[in-house]
Amino acid sequence: MMLRRRLTLLAVSVAAAPLALGACTGDRRTGQPAEARANPELSVTPAEGTRDVPITGEIGTVVKHGRVTAVRITDDKGAAVAAEPREDGSGWVPSRTLEPKRTYTAEVTATGDSGKTVTRRTTFTTQPKSSKPAIVSTLYFAGDRTYGTAMPVTVAFDPPIPEEARADVQRRLFVKTDPPQPGTWSWVSDGSQVYYRAPDFWRPGTTIKVRSALEGLPIGKDSVGDADRRATSKIGRQVELEIDNATKQMSVIRDGKLLRKLPVSLGKPSTPTSSGKMVIMEKHDFTTFDTRGSADPYVVDVEDAQRLTWGGEFIHGAPWSEGDQGYTNVSHGCTNLSAANADWLMGVTQVGDLVTVKGTEVSLNEGNGWTAWNVSWEQFARGSALPVPAGLRPTPTQAPDPGAVAGGSPEPQPSASGG
């Protein structure tokens, strides 16, 4: 009797085993797990019939068991509206700002892992033109230029963006690089500027395509964005300037090789030059420094001037201080060169080249120029209003690279100063 019972239990266990195995491996005929055969599930926003959609509206998509394979957007006259997908797959952004008080239709198709498709259609109407004041934005990245490897993509705001609105603004700022070199945006603490860079310096030859799609974007309760701006430019040769107050010398390095050492005179003790990592922001064959109204007023014409800070620090030709260059600091905070050396340097540098100054009495302040490379990658990434991919970090084996940058908070239409 005991033997029969044990045999019966064994038979039950063997019979049950194939059922459990089948539940884990799916259909033996297809060799696919059960979830792979599920039909796609697709939801689309704005919902059908939504009114008063901002003109920055985009088509949001959520897909389960598949992916979006087609999106068609048309206006109320049947004209197609071009759009591009977000990198995270969360939606499709129209390539141009939508028009106010117009009706649009979006038809989205998703294809499931099973091969089946599902299509969702939604029609929505945009809001009338906003009467709220626009926050003025400035894109410091022009088109059809060649920039240095430290060039940040910089957008400044007047008035600054409040902290609670920065994520919405950041989602409307787009950067594409070819070859791909992903980065992130980071906000200056007061919200007056946001800048974009990768963990490492841009590779020479990279094409950077930028869109600041802020026109009509609701920013907080009382403001909207002002414009939709675009620019595409390239990255040139890698150039770095290293300025050492201890030796009063500037090292000019291109593609990792020292080209020349140039004697300099920096800021005198009462008006010291800032130490830190800056970026060449502007280049002028000729300009006038006018500091009337300051504690040390003067007006002087200078040649071969390259701006480093919004506070008025430049590299420039200074024939009047050639006897001091290499020995004594006599300037109002600028880096003085001989006329011949300043002229030569203008032919080597690009806007976006890194300039590192060390050993002076004061440190570079956040936002005084483009100061994004004056902080570590970890600190820079903490300034993003959106999550930063965990795997985005500097190349571990990269040596100090002569192509660093600085991203900061430019003041609107700064006046030239220097010394």
Side-chain angles (χ1 to χ4, degrees), residues 98-380:
L98 302 177
E99 296 182 22
K101 213 169 182 181
R102 295 284 297 275
T103 298
Y104 293 86
T105 298
E107 193 170 85
V108 182
T109 298
T111 301
D113 302 324
S114 62
K116 293 185 178 180
T117 63
V118 61
T119 298
R120 295 285 181 265
R121 188 173 182 272
T122 183
T123 298
F124 60 92
T125 303
T126 54
Q127 63 187 189
K129 186 174 181 179
S130 177
S131 59
K132 296 179 180 179
I135 290 180
V136 177
S137 63
T138 303
L139 174 61
Y140 286 97
F141 190 89
D144 300 320
R145 304 287 181 89
T146 299
Y147 288 115
T149 57
M151 182 66 183
V153 177
T154 304
V155 185
F157 302 95
D158 183 21
I161 303 298
E163 189 170 359
E164 63 273 15
R166 293 176 193 173
D168 289 338
V169 171
Q170 190 172 325
R171 279 182 57 82
R172 299 295 299 182
L173 304 175
F174 305 94
V175 176
K176 290 186 177 181
T177 56
D178 183 22
Q181 196 176 348
T184 190
W185 293 92
S186 181
W187 290 85
V188 171
S189 57
D190 66 0
S192 62
Q193 186 178 15
V194 63
Y195 31 75
Y196 183 97
R197 71 168 174 95
D200 301 318
F201 308 115
W202 301 121
R203 302 184 194 100
T206 298
T207 297
I208 302 180
K209 181 179 181 181
V210 180
R211 182 185 179 194
S212 174
L214 301 176
E215 182 181 1
L217 176 72
I219 300 177
K221 296 180 179 179
D222 302 319
S223 304
V224 295
D226 65 336
D228 193 327
R229 296 184 172 89
R230 305 165 188 266
T232 301
S233 283
K234 289 191 174 184
I235 300 302
R237 302 182 71 170
Q238 183 177 321
V239 175
E240 177 186 16
L241 309 181
E242 295 180 350
I243 302 170
D244 189 348
N245 185 40
T247 62
K248 307 293 188 292
Q249 297 287 318
M250 173 193 292
S251 297
V252 182
I253 303 166
R254 185 172 66 193
D255 297 331
K257 297 180 180 180
L258 178 66
L259 295 184
R260 288 188 189 180
K261 282 197 171 184
L262 308 176
V264 300
S265 178
L266 302 179
K268 57 190 175 183
S270 60
T271 53
T273 302
S274 299
S275 286
K277 293 183 177 180
M278 313 168 208
V279 169
I280 295 173
M281 306 167 68
E282 303 169 351
K283 297 179 63 174
H284 303 279
D285 293 329
F286 176 89
T287 190
T288 299
F289 294 158
D290 185 347
T291 67
R292 287 174 295 185
S294 71
D296 188 7
Y298 62 90
V299 179
V300 61
D301 295 334
V302 297
E303 295 183 353
D304 301 319
Q306 306 188 52
R307 182 187 283 274
L308 302 181
T309 72
W310 291 117
E313 295 181 40
F314 285 75
I315 299 169
H316 64 84
W320 56 86
S321 71
E322 288 185 11
D324 296 301
Q325 293 167 19
Y327 303 101
T328 308
N329 291 336
V330 298
S331 84
H332 292 85
C334 290
T335 299
N336 287 180
L337 292 170
S338 70
N341 286 340
D343 180 68
W344 173 83
L345 188 64
M346 285 284 283
V348 175
T349 59
Q350 310 147 112
V351 170
D353 287 339
L354 176 69
V355 179
T356 302
V357 179
K358 63 179 182 179
T360 65
E361 296 88 340
V362 296
S363 297
L364 181 66
N365 291 326
E366 179 197 33
N368 186 17
W370 296 336
T371 54
W373 290 96
N374 202 44
V375 297
S376 68
W377 170 254
E378 290 74 18
Q379 185 176 345
F380 183 84

Side-chain angles (χ1 to χ4, degrees), residues 74-110:
T74 55
D75 62 20
D76 47 17
K77 296 181 180 179
V81 176
E84 295 180 281
R86 286 192 173 275
E87 291 185 0
D88 61 4
S90 63
W92 286 68
V93 181
S95 300
R96 57 177 173 82
T97 304
L98 302 177
E99 296 182 22
K101 213 169 182 181
R102 295 284 297 275
T103 298
Y104 293 86
T105 298
E107 193 170 85
V108 182
T109 298

Side-chain angles (χ1 to χ4, degrees), residues 44-50 53 57-60 106 121-124:
V44 176
T45 55
E48 172 66 25
T50 301
V53 173
E58 54 191 75
I59 308 305
R121 188 173 182 272
T122 183
T123 298
F124 60 92

